[in-house]
Amino acid sequence: ITVVFIGDGAPTGNYGYTNSGYSVYEEENERLTESLRTKVSAIKSLSIEIGTEVKNQNKMLSEMDNDFDSAGGLLGATMGRLRTLSRGSQTKLLCYMMLFSLFVFFVIYWIIKLR
């Protein structure tokens, strides 16, 4: 039996691709294709996770915005009440402060006297 070689020494039954450089290139291409497929899959899942996280963060920011708006409204109402209170009679407020000061003075005086 005689074996005829084609190209770089491949037997004729394998169409000249087994021992030639083509087989090596095909295997390398398959390996690189599989590696690329794995990386693309990882990037896809990562981008889906990022999208989910962005949606959750936007939802949380929206809720915080609503909370701050309600707190701002409450603070505005409180400031309005304080303005109304400050426009009221100053003499009544001054009288309350004097009575409180006298009360504190007598309590301190009483504590010192008992010692």
Side-chain angles (χ1 to χ4, degrees), residues 44-63:
K44 178 183 175 184
S45 65
L46 185 63
S47 66
I48 289 171
E49 289 176 16
I50 288 173
T52 303
E53 184 66 25
V54 166
K55 287 178 186 176
N56 290 337
Q57 294 292 328
N58 282 338
K59 181 181 174 186
M60 186 169 49
L61 284 174
S62 176
E63 290 171 359

Side-chain angles (χ1 to χ4, degrees), residues 14-31:
N14 293 329
Y15 302 104
Y17 292 118
T18 304
N19 291 333
S20 69
Y22 295 119
S23 164
V24 174
Y25 291 132
E26 285 179 17
E27 290 173 10
E28 181 71 15
N29 280 342
E30 289 296 323
R31 188 181 60 78

